[in-house]
Structure formats: structure tokens, C-alpha cells
Amino acid sequence: MKLGLQVVAFNWPGSPANTGRTLANIAHTADAAGFASLWVMDHYFQIDPGIGPASDPMLEAYTALSFMAGATERIRLGAMVTGVVYRQPAFLVKQVSTLDVLSGGRANLGIGASWYEREAVGLGFPFPPIAERFERLEETLQIARQLWSGDATPFTGKHYQLAEPINSPQPLSQPHPPILIGGGGEKKTLRLVAQYGNACNLFAFAGLDQVKHKLDVLKGHCDDVGRDYAEIERTALGVVMLGPGGMTPADLIGFCHGLASIGIQQFIFSIPNVYEITPLEIIGREVIEAVAAL
């Protein structure tokens, strides 16, 4: 099993004056510790309710990822996950392609149908009904695959029309940056994973039985569309708090054992006190190698 780190908040002591320095330190330490991937949320407001009030600091995802690319050498980088309504598809593909080229081939495209209506309305982004958001998500996935294939013939969809879908330079990742589709919706989201995705992302806190059920649904969709289920990386998302009142390294290893036993291959998590750096160093010393063989 691999471990990934998600940075979800930027309101640590001393911010915003030390935001860049602290974020670079987090990224560098996670890279050196052996984390497989590094993610930020694609939001403009902080999640409320959830992590903090909407007015808490939030960085634009692809600017932050590009910044972290310069502080790292090996770790993969992505947004967990981009809301499909926040960018035109070709612009999003260009952003991910640029990140991939500048990072030496380490970008992922994390994407979903969007859910944070307050944020969209607050900042004037379109927020159509959910059925349309899924239509836009599928067209965006089609556009990404076409642009990354080098096929410059016009794209004509219900919601998007591209007269010249040219993408240069193309990503270094081959055949293209891995596409992670976030969410566990059984009728639409997991079908899109089976049809277009390289990875799924499910909520670890839903419990092992529920995560296993979602994986079984995904496998059924793979069977329906003729996709090899083994081609799709199965990831889960959660929160880990090390220290008093939280988890020990042994607890985290045990939790990873449970996820691995039902087929999860990468556990991606946020750490509330990540800015202290020490939790990353502990996980690097005591956990990453211990779960690598799972």
C-alpha cells in the first residue's frame, strides 16, 4: 500500500506571512519521507461545515501545486478534486499538462462533479443542477482524453465545443496524467471511473464494509463496459491525527491493513497539525515502509 498526503488548510500559526515557506517545507518533507502523492483541495472557500469557516485561508489549487512541484523531486501532485464547473475543460487540461511538464511528469488529474454550492454562488461560478454537472463531467473527461491523445479534430458536445483542440506541449506522463475521479456515487460516478478513470477515490471514514461495497459496484461497472478492474487504482481518503488523543503509528498501520484487506491500494489523508512537520517525519520513519508490502 502507498500513502498520500492531502493539505486541506493554510491557517497555521504565522500565516499568511509564512504560507509559502511552510507549504514548501511540508512538500519537501513529504517527498523525502516517501509519500507517494501530494494533494490540495480545489476550493476557493474553506469547507464549512467541515474543516473551518468559509472565510479561512484557501489557496488556488494549481498555483499551489506548481509551487510545490518546485520544492519536490519524486512525489506525484494533484487536486483532490477539481470541481468540473470551475474551469473550462481545455483550460483545465492545459493547467494539468503544464504542471506535468514542469514537474517532470508527476501530475495527476483529480476531478469530480462539484458539490459546494455556496462557494460557486458566492464567487459567481455556474452551478447547474446535478444531472447537468455530470454531463459536463463526462464531456470534460472526453475532452481531456482527446487533447492528450493529440487528436485535434473538432469536439462537439452538448455543453462544450472546441474548434481546434490543440494541446502543446503534451504531458510527459504516458499515455497521459492519471485521471482520478472522486466520489462514490454508484450509478454515475463509479460508472465514469470504469469508463474513463485510472483511479477512484472513496471515503475511508465510511467504514470497511461500505468501501468494499463501493469497490464491488465499481467492479460491476468495469464488467459492464469491458474494463479490466485491475487497471484502476483504488484509493481512499481520510484524516489522521497522530499524538495524544489521536492515533499512534501502530494504529495507522493497523488501519492501513484493514483498507488493504478489501482492495484499497493507496490511503490519502490530511493531518490537522501537518504544519508542525514532525507527524510527516514520524510516518516516514515508522509507517510508510511497514505498509509498503500490503
Side-chain angles (χ1 to χ4, degrees):
M1 172 177 278
K2 297 183 289 186
L3 299 183
L5 175 68
Q6 185 188 31
V7 181
V8 300
F10 306 94
N11 60 339
W12 41 69
S15 66
N18 68 353
T19 296
R21 182 170 66 255
T22 304
L23 187 59
N25 195 14
I26 291 169
H28 175 76
T29 304
D31 193 35
F35 281 84
S37 60
L38 179 60
W39 308 79
V40 295
M41 299 192 299
D42 187 27
H43 285 298
Y44 302 100
F45 288 0
Q46 184 54 277
I47 297 174
D48 180 20
I51 298 171
S55 58
D56 269 6
M58 181 55 60
L59 301 181
E60 193 282 318
Y62 289 96
T63 308
L65 291 167
S66 295
F67 176 80
M68 291 191 291
T72 56
E73 297 181 356
R74 177 200 54 81
I75 201 165
R76 297 201 66 86
L77 303 154
M80 183 66 74
V81 291
T82 283
V84 72
V85 300
Y86 294 149
R87 297 168 183 82
Q88 289 291 315
F91 176 56
L92 174 61
V93 172
K94 173 61 73 174
Q95 285 185 297
V96 177
S97 299
T98 299
L99 176 63
D100 196 73
V101 168
L102 294 180
S103 67
R106 295 187 284 128
N108 286 13
L109 169 59
I111 193 165
S114 308
W115 63 270
Y116 198 1
E117 184 174 7
R118 175 183 177 183
E119 175 182 65
V121 173
L123 294 177
F125 289 103
F127 198 79
I130 190 167
E132 181 179 329
R133 299 201 307 275
F134 271 102
E135 291 174 353
R136 290 179 179 271
L137 175 57
E138 183 159 16
E139 286 190 21
T140 297
L141 293 166
Q142 293 168 350
I143 288 167
R145 288 174 51 156
Q146 179 175 336
L147 281 164
W148 283 334
S149 76
D151 177 4
T153 58
F155 177 91
T156 304
K158 179 178 178 180
H159 301 286
Y160 303 111
Q161 295 80 43
L162 284 66
E164 290 186 280
I166 295 170
N167 185 53
S168 181
Q170 288 283 28
L172 301 180
S173 294
Q174 291 298 318
H176 54 70
I179 298 171
L180 179 149
I181 302 173
E186 297 181 13
K187 293 182 179 179
K188 293 184 178 180
T189 303
L190 294 178
R191 179 189 66 79
L192 291 175
V193 173
Q195 194 166 355
Y196 301 101
N198 303 106
C200 68
N201 185 255
L202 304 169
F203 292 123
F205 56 72
L208 294 183
D209 289 344
Q210 182 67 7
V211 174
K212 184 179 184 302
H213 168 71
K214 299 291 186 182
L215 292 176
D216 289 341
V217 172
L218 174 59
K219 189 176 188 305
H221 284 303
C222 288
D223 292 341
D224 290 342
V225 302
R227 180 80 184 277
D228 183 356
Y229 173 72
E231 293 178 356
I232 296 171
E233 184 180 18
R234 283 91 67 190
T235 78
L237 191 66
V239 180
V240 169
M241 183 69 183
L242 294 182
M247 302 176 82
T248 66
D251 291 333
L252 178 53
I253 291 169
F255 189 75
C256 290
H257 270 277
L259 290 173
S261 72
I262 60 168
I264 294 296
Q265 298 166 305
Q266 184 172 180
F267 179 37
I268 301 165
F269 52 88
S270 62
I271 303 173
N273 60 334
V274 67
Y275 59 86
E276 294 177 356
I277 303 301
T278 301
L280 298 175
E281 296 172 335
I282 292 172
I283 291 169
R285 288 196 308 267
E286 302 183 34
V287 179
I288 287 178
E289 186 174 349
V291 302
L294 298 180

